[in-house]
Amino acid sequence: TNLSDYTKAGIWFPTLKQNPDEPIVVAKNIRQYSLSIPRLNITDAKVIVGGEDLKKGLVHYIPRSIPGEVGNISIFGHSSLPQLYSVKDYATIFTYLPSLKRGDKVYVAYDDATYEYDVAETFIVTPEEVSILDQKYDDSYLTLVTCVPPVSYTHLDSTNENEDIS
């Protein structure tokens, strides 16, 4: 029996270790911002920078860049069985994330600005495939991650978006 608590972001990619020499956004006193996904009826969901507990909000995991900067922002959110879903419950908020389609919009509100991201692709990875969390320095990226199937972390769904600043 696997009794791991998948509402803890740190166990999703067990081979990934945070490098203490790598700069993190928390040092810039950025603690949270909000995310909206109109297609999923998610409005102003709290994103906790450097957080761990997916029951308290979405988690900007191992933060190295911030919205509006070049780099990859990885946001984890929990999913659940569809019958338990509630858009207001962070333990279920990303249940329908895999239903996003190319071109859907995701908005991040931070520091009196709103950044618009277009869904570029969705795909499934295993917990060993940590490359989705790599930094990229050619554009601003947002990678949204949840468990697929819900309540399991044998596979993770990643929605990768490129920024279109509006």
Side-chain angles (χ1 to χ4, degrees):
T1 302
N2 185 348
L3 298 177
S4 297
D5 182 358
Y6 296 115
T7 62
K8 302 297 180 206
I11 69 167
W12 285 21
F13 291 94
T15 61
L16 184 66
K17 303 290 183 226
Q18 183 160 335
N19 179 350
D21 297 326
E22 218 169 319
I24 59 172
V25 177
V26 176
K28 296 180 182 179
N29 293 321
I30 300 163
R31 299 290 176 222
Q32 70 182 42
Y33 51 89
S34 67
L35 178 135
S36 298
I37 307 174
R39 188 182 214 307
L40 302 182
N41 295 318
I42 296 172
T43 304
D44 295 327
K46 175 174 55 174
V47 179
I48 303 167
V49 178
E52 174 71 13
D53 191 345
L54 295 166
K55 293 179 286 188
K56 294 182 178 178
L58 299 171
V59 171
H60 180 154
Y61 192 66
I62 305 183
R64 294 177 292 231
S65 59
I66 58 174
E69 287 185 349
V70 170
N72 182 25
I73 297 169
S74 300
I75 298 177
F76 291 13
H78 210 271
S79 61
S80 177
L81 298 172
Q83 58 268 35
L84 301 175
Y85 171 74
S86 169
V87 73
K88 297 186 183 306
D89 182 356
Y90 286 107
T92 69
I93 195 166
F94 269 7
T95 296
Y96 292 104
L97 186 70
S99 70
L100 288 177
K101 304 285 186 224
R102 182 180 189 87
D104 284 342
K105 305 293 185 194
V106 177
Y107 300 93
V108 173
Y110 162 71
D111 198 28
D112 296 325
T114 299
Y115 301 94
E116 179 181 282
Y117 294 84
D118 294 316
V119 173
E121 62 183 319
T122 62
F123 49 91
I124 296 175
V125 299
T126 63
E128 294 78 30
E129 296 176 77
V130 298
S131 63
I132 65 163
L133 306 176
D134 288 348
Q135 278 303 305
K136 301 173 186 175
Y137 297 103
D138 62 332
D139 204 346
S140 181
Y141 296 89
L142 176 66
T143 301
L144 305 178
V145 182
T146 197
C147 299
V148 176
V151 194
S152 160
Y153 102 121
T154 58
H155 291 83
L156 299 159
D157 183 69
S158 175
T159 301
N160 186 269
E161 292 133 85
N162 291 327
E163 181 176 34
D164 176 12
I165 299 177
S166 297

